[in-house]
Amino acid sequence: MANSSSGDSVTERIVRILETFSAERTVQTAAEIGRRASLPSSTAHRQVDALVEAGLLERDDEHRVRIGMRLWELALRGSAALRLRQAAMPFMEQVQSVIREHTQLAVLEQDEALFLERLSSPDSGANITRIAGRLPLHASSSGLVLLAYASTALQDRVLAEPLVRIAADTITDAAILRRTLTDVRRLGHVVAPGSIEAVSTGVAVPVRDGAGTVIAALSVVLPRDAPTSAALEQLTAAAAGIRAALSADRR
Amino acid sequence: MANSSSGDSVTERIVRILETFSAERTVQTAAEIGRRASLPSSTAHRQVDALVEAGLLERDDEHRVRIGMRLWELALRGSAALRLRQAAMPFMEQVQSVIREHTQLAVLEQDEALFLERLSSPDSGANITRIAGRLPLHASSSGLVLLAYASTALQDRVLAEPLVRIAADTITDAAILRRTLTDVRRLGHVVAPGSIEAVSTGVAVPVRDGAGTVIAALSVVLPRDAPTSAALEQLTAAAAGIRAALSADRR
């Protein structure tokens, strides 16, 4: 960050500015953005002006700033996330219509499970997940699936670090986590009761692309003691359908 | 663009780089990006490297570049598009399950209709729309609704320019377009047969926020000569539901 006139440091600054926005904080002043991004006030104001000018941020009547529709458009238009999500949606809708609980699609991103999509019905139960939100790999059912099929380098990295307890039943013991990952690969699914929320059980399966590589996890969030077999059956069929759609879609 | 060391020109450059990606062009080399963004090769390579470093672009094994999952995440996490889409989704699913044709949500963005969401079933008919894609305001049913409730300044701008013919029945006469917009406001909906594709009829209604401001258009694409009354009824009910959800959601 030393040389503020070079292109890459401006890029970093833009990322830091965008990172100050969240689901809980969708509107900010330029001064607040500067404080939260640890940027000098004049730099923050100048950079926010440039981002508003480019349409990546938008300013409202009260001079507050939010994420611009143009950024959303540029991010989605050519993105792998959108292609995967489009291929997955009809199958996710099918799962959701039968199971009637939160149905979710997640990918591995920077050592966490990043949620691309969530379908819910008004009567679905508790769920901490948000679209474009993240959960730790060792704690969520989606994360456990993604971790099970990740590189051994990533697995070793996660296993070497402290496994943070999210709920009473989060796996926090490295040996148990290692065994769980072996089980996921053997069974082709995971059932994770109470690892994120005491009242829920996550059930997840891997989603493979046409070449057989695991590229995502498909999951449902059930009430803690609900039977899991119908959900597993639906998820497995959906993952097979997505794989076939991705194979057909390849160019 | 003269001063390449200033923050705003780097911002413009980043936007130009992101704009080279599209649904048809999701993977490019840095050299291709430079050519398409009209940037000197060294500048393009350096800026692409910075964007890859920041996670906004990703590089594959063959050194080609695509839109990064991180950009998608930053764009969505704090965005109004995501909030609107989340509020709209259950109602869109309801419309889709009854009508069984493409169901779409669009907003006004830079004088065009930008599509935030599209739900389809395998048996839905022809449809040119893509998520994060755009259509002209005067030609699409969504666009006609958005234009009808837009500022008079925007209406005058659109009416003053040539109205491009997209299909045989696109409205290309300014006087007819003006009358159509009046009808949309009076009826609260539009039926646009063959304006985008000869084989389809678009049916759209306005979506209002809690304060009553039109913020989006909800539409279905029917086969050209299909009856429209069931779709209109479903769309109107869905728009009312979305408005109520947005009112309840306000903070």
Side-chain angles (χ1 to χ4, degrees):
Chain A
M1 295 300 292
N3 178 10
S4 72
S5 73
S6 74
D8 46 1
S9 94
V10 175
T11 309
E12 286 168 19
R13 217 190 278 155
I14 290 173
V15 170
R16 278 160 64 191
I17 288 175
L18 296 178
E19 281 175 339
T20 64
F21 290 88
S22 70
E24 291 75 30
R25 194 196 291 145
T26 59
V27 180
Q28 306 178 81
T29 64
E32 289 167 343
I33 291 172
R35 220 166 32 244
R36 287 169 181 142
S38 305
L39 292 172
S41 172
S42 61
T43 308
H45 277 86
R46 202 175 55 240
Q47 187 59 57
V48 165
D49 283 347
L51 289 167
V52 169
E53 178 71 25
L56 303 190
L57 295 180
E58 288 169 5
R59 196 167 256 142
D60 67 15
D61 299 342
E62 294 157 59
H63 221 67
R64 296 173 312 172
V65 175
R66 62 178 74 229
I67 296 287
M69 211 64 96
R70 182 87 184 117
L71 179 61
W72 177 89
E73 179 186 13
L74 289 172
L76 253 75
R77 212 172 43 171
S79 87
L82 180 60
R83 286 211 314 286
L84 170 56
R85 181 194 164 280
Q86 297 238 55
M89 269 294 269
F91 301 99
M92 293 182 68
E93 285 176 28
Q94 171 66 18
V95 174
Q96 216 278 320
S97 72
V98 174
I99 305 299
R100 313 285 302 163
E101 299 288 350
H102 306 286
T103 305
Q104 316 178 136
L105 183 69
V107 295
L108 184 64
E109 171 70 10
Q110 295 176 323
D111 296 8
E112 293 181 290
L114 173 65
F115 287 83
L116 295 188
E117 186 54 86
R118 189 186 86 170
L119 297 181
S120 308
S121 64
D123 49 338
S124 301
N127 187 353
I128 207 171
T129 314
R130 287 175 193 277
I131 297 169
R134 292 163 174 253
L135 286 176
L137 293 176
H138 72 283
S140 56
S141 64
S142 300
L144 288 167
V145 161
L146 294 170
L147 187 57
Y149 295 94
S151 67
T152 50
L154 172 56
Q155 291 177 358
D156 291 344
R157 197 158 67 236
V158 170
L159 285 158
E161 305 223 323
L163 299 167
V164 177
R165 183 180 300 284
I166 308 288
D169 294 323
T170 307
I171 300 174
T172 55
D173 180 283
I176 296 177
L177 178 55
R178 202 176 276 283
R179 210 150 56 224
T180 303
L181 298 180
T182 307
D183 287 345
V184 172
R185 286 188 298 269
R186 185 168 50 81
L187 299 170
H189 69 253
V190 72
V191 175
S195 62
I196 288 278
E197 291 183 291
V199 296
S200 310
T201 289
V203 182
V205 303
V207 175
R208 294 171 192 276
D209 64 11
T213 307
V214 173
I215 53 165
L218 191 65
S219 61
V220 293
V221 181
L222 302 173
R224 175 67 179 256
D225 297 315
T228 58
S229 59
L232 277 171
E233 193 178 307
Q234 283 292 321
L235 288 173
T236 305
I242 297 169
R243 179 177 181 169
L246 289 171
S247 303
D249 195 37
R250 265 201 294 184
R251 9 180 157 210
Chain B
M1 295 298 293
N3 177 10
S4 71
S5 73
S6 75
D8 45 1
S9 94
V10 175
T11 308
E12 287 168 17
R13 216 190 278 154
I14 291 173
V15 170
R16 277 161 63 192
I17 288 174
L18 296 178
E19 281 174 339
T20 64
F21 291 88
S22 69
E24 291 75 32
R25 194 194 292 145
T26 60
V27 180
Q28 306 179 81
T29 64
E32 290 167 341
I33 292 172
R35 217 161 37 242
R36 288 169 181 143
S38 305
L39 292 172
S41 173
S42 62
T43 308
H45 277 87
R46 200 174 58 239
Q47 187 59 56
V48 165
D49 283 346
L51 288 168
V52 169
E53 178 70 26
L56 303 191
L57 296 179
E58 287 170 6
R59 197 166 255 142
D60 66 15
D61 298 343
E62 294 157 59
H63 220 69
R64 295 174 312 172
V65 175
R66 63 177 73 230
I67 295 287
M69 211 62 97
R70 182 88 184 114
L71 180 61
W72 178 89
E73 180 186 12
L74 289 172
L76 253 74
R77 212 171 45 171
S79 87
L82 181 61
R83 285 210 315 287
L84 171 56
R85 182 195 163 281
Q86 298 238 55
M89 270 292 270
F91 302 99
M92 293 182 67
E93 286 175 28
Q94 171 67 16
V95 174
Q96 216 279 319
S97 72
V98 174
I99 306 297
R100 312 286 303 162
E101 299 288 351
H102 306 286
T103 305
Q104 319 179 132
L105 182 69
V107 295
L108 183 64
E109 171 69 11
Q110 294 176 321
D111 297 7
E112 293 181 292
L114 173 66
F115 287 82
L116 295 188
E117 184 56 85
R118 188 186 86 169
L119 297 180
S120 308
S121 63
D123 49 338
S124 300
N127 187 353
I128 206 171
T129 314
R130 288 175 193 277
I131 296 169
R134 291 164 176 253
L135 286 176
L137 292 177
H138 71 283
S140 56
S141 64
S142 300
L144 288 168
V145 162
L146 294 169
L147 187 57
Y149 295 95
S151 67
T152 49
L154 173 56
Q155 291 176 0
D156 291 343
R157 197 158 65 237
V158 170
L159 285 158
E161 305 224 322
L163 299 168
V164 178
R165 181 178 303 283
I166 309 289
D169 293 324
T170 306
I171 299 172
T172 54
D173 179 283
I176 295 177
L177 178 54
R178 200 176 278 282
R179 211 152 53 226
T180 304
L181 299 180
T182 307
D183 286 346
V184 172
R185 286 189 296 272
R186 186 169 49 81
L187 299 170
H189 69 253
V190 73
V191 175
S195 62
I196 288 278
E197 292 181 291
V199 297
S200 309
T201 291
V203 181
V205 303
V207 175
R208 294 170 191 275
D209 65 10
T213 308
V214 173
I215 53 167
L218 191 65
S219 60
V220 293
V221 181
L222 302 174
R224 176 66 179 256
D225 297 317
T228 58
S229 60
L232 277 172
E233 194 178 308
Q234 284 293 319
L235 288 172
T236 305
I242 296 169
R243 179 177 182 170
L246 289 170
S247 303
D249 196 39
R250 265 200 296 184
R251 15 182 151 206

